[in-house]
Amino acid sequence: MGKKHKFDYFDAFEKQTKLAVQEADLLIEAVEKFTEAEKLKEVMERAHELEHEGDEINHAILKTVATDFITPIEREDIIELSQRLDNIVDFIEDVMQRFYMYDVHFMHHDALEFACLIKKSCEALDKAMEDFRNFKKSKKFKQLIVDVNTYEEEADQLYMHVTRKLHTHDKENPMRVLVWSQIFDRMERCCDACENVADTMNTVLLKNV
């Protein structure tokens, strides 16, 4: 009988972060090529395919961790990491769905800057995740975590800036303020989601020093 293949949790985590980067790319595409909400369906379909792929990875992780006798890190940390990674892709897809559901008639000029910042956050997290399996010995892992947190801080500042602009420059158009306030809130949540994963990774590091 052949030896049973050992599930690689770190490889699965890396697949999840790479999906997040791909989803962020689609968000940028949706913003840059926007003409009208009705024409977002094609990019939304591709985004949903990535989200479904992420769900399958998450399910595989949760199924395996429930039965594995020995895990490389604590079970609750594996579960938390997997679910938080899954949230990132979900949240980015949610932004694109809001463009469609709210039937936006123009793409706000600050949306591209936010979308690019989301991608930078995902890329920084992906880079940190590539080093996560070596966190006990790595000399650069801590800085990679800091990089993710730095982008989240930039997102906080950008969110405050764009929200104030909405309530000052667009105050005569309350519907525009309402719609874009909600969209920018969800864009900021994507960067928060990246930081949440980084915080969990850092917690794992602290538990194992």
Side-chain angles (χ1 to χ4, degrees):
M1 183 180 291
K3 187 177 180 180
K4 185 178 179 182
H5 177 68
K6 182 70 175 175
F7 187 86
D8 190 331
Y9 291 98
F10 295 106
D11 182 61
F13 294 150
E14 287 176 35
K15 288 178 180 177
Q16 286 179 297
T17 56
K18 292 189 187 317
L19 282 177
V21 174
Q22 292 178 54
E23 195 83 348
D25 274 329
L26 286 181
L27 175 59
I28 291 175
E29 180 181 335
V31 171
E32 287 184 327
K33 296 183 178 180
F34 181 84
T35 54
E36 57 181 276
E38 187 65 28
K39 293 184 178 180
L40 285 171
K41 288 182 178 180
E42 189 271 334
V43 73
M44 286 170 56
E45 287 175 1
R46 285 188 282 148
H48 191 65
E49 287 174 4
L50 291 176
E51 189 272 337
H52 179 68
E53 189 175 342
D55 282 345
E56 290 185 335
I57 297 170
N58 186 40
H59 293 156
I61 292 171
L62 298 181
K63 180 179 179 181
T64 306
V65 77
T67 56
D68 256 2
F69 184 65
I70 299 175
T71 56
I73 57 178
E74 293 182 17
R75 293 176 197 277
E76 57 265 31
D77 293 326
I78 291 174
I79 294 168
E80 184 172 343
L81 266 174
S82 182
Q83 293 182 331
R84 286 187 165 185
L85 283 162
D86 195 50
N87 284 343
I88 300 172
V89 176
D90 288 347
F91 290 172
I92 298 174
E93 182 188 24
D94 180 64
V95 173
M96 287 179 266
Q97 290 174 340
R98 298 287 157 176
F99 294 154
Y100 178 76
M101 289 189 294
Y102 294 162
D103 192 30
V104 296
H105 294 281
F106 76 100
M107 187 54 59
H108 198 284
H109 49 79
D110 289 320
L112 180 59
E113 183 179 359
F114 227 136
C116 289
L117 190 52
I118 290 169
K119 183 181 177 182
K120 288 178 182 178
S121 297
C122 292
E123 288 177 329
L125 184 62
D126 183 47
K127 193 172 181 180
M129 191 60 76
E130 288 175 355
D131 204 46
F132 185 45
R133 67 175 68 240
N134 304 313
F135 69 86
K136 292 181 182 179
K137 300 178 181 178
S138 176
K139 296 181 180 179
K140 60 182 180 178
F141 181 69
K142 289 182 181 179
Q143 182 56 50
L144 293 172
I145 293 297
V146 170
D147 292 343
V148 179
N149 293 336
T150 298
Y151 285 123
E152 193 279 331
E153 290 172 5
E154 288 184 27
D156 284 344
Q157 292 300 312
L158 180 58
Y159 177 61
M160 183 169 64
H161 173 69
V162 298
T163 301
R164 175 166 173 77
K165 277 176 63 177
L166 279 174
H167 287 269
T168 53
H169 297 185
D170 294 310
K171 61 184 179 181
E172 302 302 324
N173 192 329
M175 183 56 69
R176 181 179 299 176
V177 173
L178 175 63
V179 166
W180 280 100
S181 290
Q182 294 193 26
I183 291 175
F184 285 136
D185 177 75
R186 282 165 172 78
M187 295 182 92
E188 195 267 341
R189 190 185 301 178
C190 296
C191 295
D192 281 346
C194 289
E195 184 187 43
N196 288 340
V197 174
D199 287 345
T200 302
M201 294 162 72
N202 193 50
T203 299
V204 172
L205 172 66
L206 294 174
K207 285 181 177 180
N208 290 275
V209 291

